[in-house]
Each structure stands twice: as structure tokens, then as C-alpha cells.
Amino acid sequence: MGRIRLTLCVDDSHADDLGDIAGAARRAGMTVEQELSGIGVLTGSIDADNLDALRAIAGVTSVEQERDVTLPPPGSPVQ
Amino acid sequence: MARKSRKRPAKKQAALETLSVSPPEQPQAGGSAPATAPGTTGRFLVLFDRSAAPQAPNTLRRVANLSLASAADFEDGIVEPEGLGGADAVMLPDLAIAIASAPPEQTHALGVASDTGILAIEPERVVYTSGQGWPLNTGPAASADDMAPLDYLRGYRDAVNEVYDRLTGQHDAEAELGAEAVTAFDEADATWGLQATRVVSSQHSGRGIRVAVLDTGVDSGHPDFAGRAVTGASFVQGESVQDGHGHGTHCIGTACGPERPGILPRYGVAHEADIFAGKVLSNRGSGTDGGILAGIQWGVSNKCAIISMSLGAPVQVGQSFSQVYEHAARRALMQGSLIIAAAGNDSRRPARVAPVSHPANCPSVMAVAAIDERFAVARFSNGGLNPQGGQVDIAGPGVDVRSSWPRPTLYNTISGTSMATPHVAGIAALYAQADSTFRGRVLMSMLTQYARRLRAPARDVGAGLVQAL
């Protein structure tokens, strides 16, 4: 299975331990790109095979595959 | 405490008029019956400024010679509607309101005296429970208070007309989208959107309020932003915050554009707000959750009271919202940052209504629909099809919206829920300036509470059209 980009969030009781959770996520195989402590979110990528290990980390409440957003071209009448 | 005589019918009439109460219609027995306007009790409500409330008993005594009881004197704080326990007035200390049963000239004295801390004096109204029906007075003498049943009947009539039109094939699509008989806007001085949202008459400017717009950046060299504090940050790898698309400059123009642009009409709402331009969408108009979430964190950590996001991705009917964004938005609210996002442009009304997009579909994110200048739902505007946050919260002007565009074009008129969203964001900055407690969830509820209700259904416009404070 390929590598997927993802975001994950931690519950409020672990919000102050985001660095610890990022460490655990790395040990589970995640490449952590951003630790967004203000909103309790990590972003990065991982092999799809390791997703369950990520979900098993204490304090991780949700793991989601990253979405893309796209605007219409500048000349479009509806933006 | 001495009580003043209540038998002064000659003066009573004049005082009533001063207080803007309609003169009584019913004949008076011997001129001594209480001169009570229809729908009122003859008593008056006196509203004090909170800081003046402790002095209210003295004020009532000194200025109007009214004896006073306090609600605290009554059992369980319950004031019987019939009497005031022998006093002329009763004070409701928690509300800073006195109910006065005294001749109008005495009450009137309170209105003309200075330094009393009195904010308003108004006649106490008779309130009916819905089961009792209304006192239908539809003649020419009907007062404003009697208009409530007329509004109700008008709505009933409109509904019957609509059923008739549907059955006879006269139903038209414009009506279904909620178009109203609005006078056409003259855009010489200000865009229709600023007029419809009453921004042009607002006393507020967003001064001191930080507004983050997460988009394609900004053309910070645009002449309309000269001299403005613009803080920029790019979350798009390899691109500066300079807007190479146009969308971001348009959105920032609507939310925070100047009071006097180089070329009229005025198009910007919060003209003294501090602009935080976060680039989360590339010059080609594309971005990812990672960049958007980084932008949200940036707005929160910079204490932006408003984070405007004219972006999103379509979702399916039945699809639930993102737990990660909901979590992030909830934490942003707790820290005083309200995220306002576009409902999305995937509908093709009247044939197809698409559900509110990600991330506007999160319960803790405010979802903005678009209306046109007849107050009809824009044909592209997404609707509240999904439960649990998937509803539209409020609507903004989103059709034929003029705003700033990167040089050398300078101005562009386009449509979208992307254009409606910064109207709400800029107006939110006016609210935030008006009262420092209007932050986070309180700010969200104030915006919906003061929205102008529309004919279009709540599924499509939420609480209605956002209104400036």
C-alpha cells in the first residue's frame, strides 16, 4: 500500500502533550510535518498499512486522509 | 412614603403624547378612567443603566416622588402583576428595570431629568399567550402593536397563494428561491452588498480587530490598501503571500477594504480592521487540509477574532463532517477566534441543491450561503441537507459582488459563496469592535440573532441576511 497524507487531532486532555503524541506518531511510522499546538492537530504522511497503529495512540481521537481544495480559475464568474 | 394623587386627567393626555403612546380610543367615564393606550397596562417600564441601578430608588423618589418596593421584598422575588404592594413602583434589581404605576407626568419627569442613568421609558404592554389569540384591531387606528397578527396573516396568505400558483402552474423559480420585492440598489457610492447589510450606516469600522483571511494571499501593493497594516504569511510551499490568482485580494477587499476606495463605489466592510492575509491556496487556486489547518493555527495564535475561509471541498449527502476540523474550530472558539466559511457553490437551482461543503459543514464553523440583490438564494449556493452541522448558518451578498483585484485590473465583479463569506467576516469585526465580549460562540450567536429574516427557507439562508451593528 502507498503512502497517504493525513491530519489527526488529539483530545483536550492531551492538548498539552502534543509533542509526546508526535513522538509516538513518529514511532508508529508517521512523518510529522506540522505540530499545531494551538488547535491540537498534527499533519504529515504515513504508509497506509500503519494507520491503525496511529489510531491506537492514547489521546488521538481522529485520523483523516488529507483533502485537496481547489478554486475555479480567476476568470470564472462564480468563485 | 406619600403617594401622589393619580387624578390629573387634563395633564395626562399631553404627557402620554410626549411619551409616544397613542391616545386611548375608548370613551372615558367622567374623564377619570385611566388613560391607557390599547395593548398597554397603564404602567411604565423604566430601564436603568447597570451602573446607575443602585441609585435607582433614590432617583425615582427624588425626580418623580415615587415610592418604591423591591422585588426582593416579595416572596421568592415574584411580583404579582395586579399590584405593587401599595408602592408606586417596584424595582427588579437583577434587570435594572423599575415598573412604575404612576400618572404619566410623574413618569415623564424621569425622562426629562438629566444624570439619572435612565436609558429608556416605555409603556408596559399586555402580552397574550399564543392560545388566547390576538386582539385583532385592523381598522385605521390599529397601532404598531396590533400589526403582529397582520404579519402572521400575510405569511398565511403568501403560503396559500404559493399553493394556488403551484396547482395552477403559475409557480416561478424566482419565487421559489425567495426573491423579495426589494427596491433596486444604486451602486454609485457603495456596493449593493454593503447597503443590504446596512454596513454603510454602521458607526463601527473594525478598528483594533484582527481579521484573518485564509485564501490566495493579497496584492499588498494595491492602492486601496496603501497605509493599511497588512500581516502576511504563506503556507504554500515556494510561493510568497503575493496574490497571483485574485480570489484572496477580492475576499480581503470585501472584508477589510477601505471606506474611500480610489474608485467608487465603496466595497469594503471593516475598513479599520487589522488585515492578516494567510496564503493557504496557491496562485493556481489549490490547497490542502494541512495548509489550511496551519493557517487556522496562525490566525488563532495571532489572536484574530475572525478567521474567514472562502474555500472548501464538496461532500456527499449523508457524509459526516471532519472531526479534525471540528476539533480545531472548537479550540479556536475557546481562544476567541470564530471561523466563518463558505457553504460552497455546487448547487444548480432549482434542479439540484448540493449539501454544505467541507469544512463549513462542521458544527463549530459558521457556514455562509449567498443571496442576490433581490434577496433570493443564489442558484449555485449550497443548502443545509446534512444533519449535525451541515446546515447553513447565515447568508451574505454573493451575486455580482464588486471588490478589489490584483493590479493592474484593480476591480472585479464576481459571484460565489466565497464573496458572501467575507461580508459576514467583516461585519463580525464590527460586532467584535462594538463589544469585547462578542467573541467565539457569543459572536456567532450575535450574528445570527441580528440577521435579517428572509422569505427564502432556513435550509438555504439559515438565520437570514447578516446585518451590521
Side-chain angles (χ1 to χ4, degrees):
Chain A
M1 288 237 260
R3 207 161 172 80
I4 60 168
R5 300 189 53 76
L6 65 96
T7 63
L8 69 80
C9 65
V10 303
D11 63 35
D12 289 344
S13 62
H14 288 80
D16 296 333
D17 312 330
L18 195 64
D20 294 344
I21 290 180
R26 286 191 185 94
R27 286 193 292 280
M30 177 176 172
T31 303
V32 177
E33 295 177 7
Q34 301 184 97
E35 296 181 25
L36 306 174
S37 57
I39 52 175
V41 170
L42 299 179
T43 72
S45 60
I46 196 169
D47 283 337
D49 293 343
N50 296 334
L51 271 177
D52 286 343
L54 213 51
R55 291 196 173 97
I57 296 170
V60 171
T61 52
S62 298
V63 179
E64 294 178 5
Q65 191 163 350
E66 190 175 58
R67 302 164 197 79
D68 293 326
V69 298
T70 310
L71 294 175
S76 169
V78 175
Q79 297 274 342
Chain B
M1 177 65 62
R3 298 174 64 190
K4 294 208 76 167
S5 162
R6 297 187 181 180
K7 297 197 174 180
R8 293 185 179 177
K11 276 187 170 179
K12 195 172 285 181
Q13 188 72 27
L16 274 170
E17 284 167 3
T18 311
L19 286 163
S20 303
V21 178
S22 307
E25 296 296 321
Q26 66 271 37
Q28 295 182 29
S32 60
T36 305
T40 65
T41 65
R43 303 196 296 194
F44 290 86
L45 303 181
V46 183
L47 173 64
F48 287 85
D49 185 87
R50 283 224 166 265
S51 63
Q55 293 306 314
N58 284 338
T59 304
L60 293 169
R61 242 175 249 123
R62 176 171 56 81
V63 179
N65 198 22
L66 297 176
S67 67
L68 192 77
S70 170
D73 299 340
F74 294 79
E75 194 178 354
D76 298 329
I78 297 168
V79 182
E80 288 297 323
E82 308 308 330
L84 300 177
D88 295 320
V90 66
M91 189 72 201
L92 308 176
D94 292 342
L95 302 176
I97 290 174
I99 304 171
S101 177
E105 70 271 20
Q106 260 175 284
T107 317
H108 178 61
L110 292 166
V112 296
S114 58
D115 299 329
T116 56
I118 292 173
L119 300 177
I121 301 173
E122 57 184 57
E124 185 183 47
R125 294 173 187 82
V126 178
V127 179
Y128 298 83
T129 63
S130 54
Q132 285 184 293
W134 294 283
L136 273 172
N137 176 8
T138 55
S143 74
D145 284 345
D146 297 325
M147 290 302 156
L150 289 185
D151 285 344
Y152 174 79
L153 291 174
R154 191 179 307 118
Y156 185 71
R157 182 194 66 188
D158 291 347
V160 171
N161 283 346
E162 187 178 326
V163 170
Y164 176 84
D165 290 346
R166 278 179 186 274
L167 289 174
T168 56
Q170 292 175 23
H171 183 73
D172 77 285
E174 275 293 292
E176 185 172 343
L177 294 170
E180 298 182 20
V182 182
T183 311
F185 292 100
D186 174 1
E187 291 201 305
D189 295 325
T191 58
W192 77 265
L194 297 201
Q195 296 175 62
T197 54
R198 301 167 59 106
V199 165
V200 284
S201 55
S202 174
Q203 302 300 308
H204 303 293
S205 62
R207 186 181 198 125
I209 303 301
R210 295 178 166 191
V211 178
V213 179
L214 306 183
D215 213 285
T216 59
V218 65
D219 178 10
S220 53
H222 193 292
D224 281 358
F225 296 109
R228 290 291 293 280
V230 179
T231 305
S234 177
F235 303 94
V236 177
Q237 207 164 21
E239 292 190 13
S240 76
V241 76
Q242 178 64 29
D243 184 8
H245 183 285
H247 192 270
T249 301
H250 200 277
C251 292
I252 287 175
T254 299
C256 304
E259 188 174 27
R260 294 183 188 80
I263 298 173
L264 287 173
R266 175 182 169 189
Y267 56 85
V269 177
H271 54 90
E272 289 191 304
D274 297 332
I275 300 168
F276 279 69
K279 184 164 186 161
V280 302
L281 302 174
S282 72
N283 292 331
R284 295 171 61 88
S286 65
T288 62
D289 282 336
I292 296 163
L293 289 163
I296 292 173
Q297 150 106 3
W298 176 72
V300 170
S301 63
N302 277 290
K303 306 203 178 308
C304 295
I306 295 105
I307 299 175
S308 183
M309 304 201 311
S310 290
L311 52 82
V315 301
Q316 303 301 314
V317 174
Q319 187 179 339
S320 69
F321 58 87
S322 159
Q323 296 289 339
V324 172
Y325 273 78
E326 170 58 16
H327 179 85
R330 208 161 38 75
R331 290 187 66 88
L333 286 172
M334 288 191 297
Q335 294 168 79
S337 297
L338 171 62
I339 300 175
I340 300 173
N345 306 328
D346 309 297
S347 296
R348 297 295 175 263
R349 297 169 185 271
R352 174 171 181 266
V353 179
V356 170
S357 296
H358 161 82
N361 63 345
C362 292
S364 297
V365 173
M366 192 164 199
V368 183
I371 61 163
D372 68 15
E373 58 188 301
R374 291 182 63 203
F375 295 177
V377 190
R379 291 175 184 275
F380 51 76
S381 189
N382 290 355
L385 303 186
N386 286 332
Q388 284 197 308
Q391 68 271 37
V392 169
D393 293 306
I394 201 164
V399 176
D400 297 334
V401 176
R402 178 186 167 93
S403 185
S404 46
W405 200 257
R407 293 162 296 167
T409 307
L410 293 182
Y411 302 102
N412 193 7
T413 300
I414 48 178
S415 304
T417 53
S418 284
M419 283 64 247
T421 301
H423 277 101
V424 178
I427 288 168
L430 308 184
Y431 282 66
Q433 177 195 6
D435 189 326
S436 61
T437 67
F438 294 172
R439 295 291 186 278
R441 285 195 194 279
V442 176
L443 179 55
M444 177 150 49
S445 95
M446 291 303 293
L447 288 163
T448 52
Q449 193 64 31
Y450 280 85
R452 171 180 172 154
R453 270 50 178 174
L454 300 174
R455 271 188 65 186
R459 179 197 71 172
D460 296 326
V461 297
L465 176 60
V466 65
Q467 297 288 288
L469 202 59

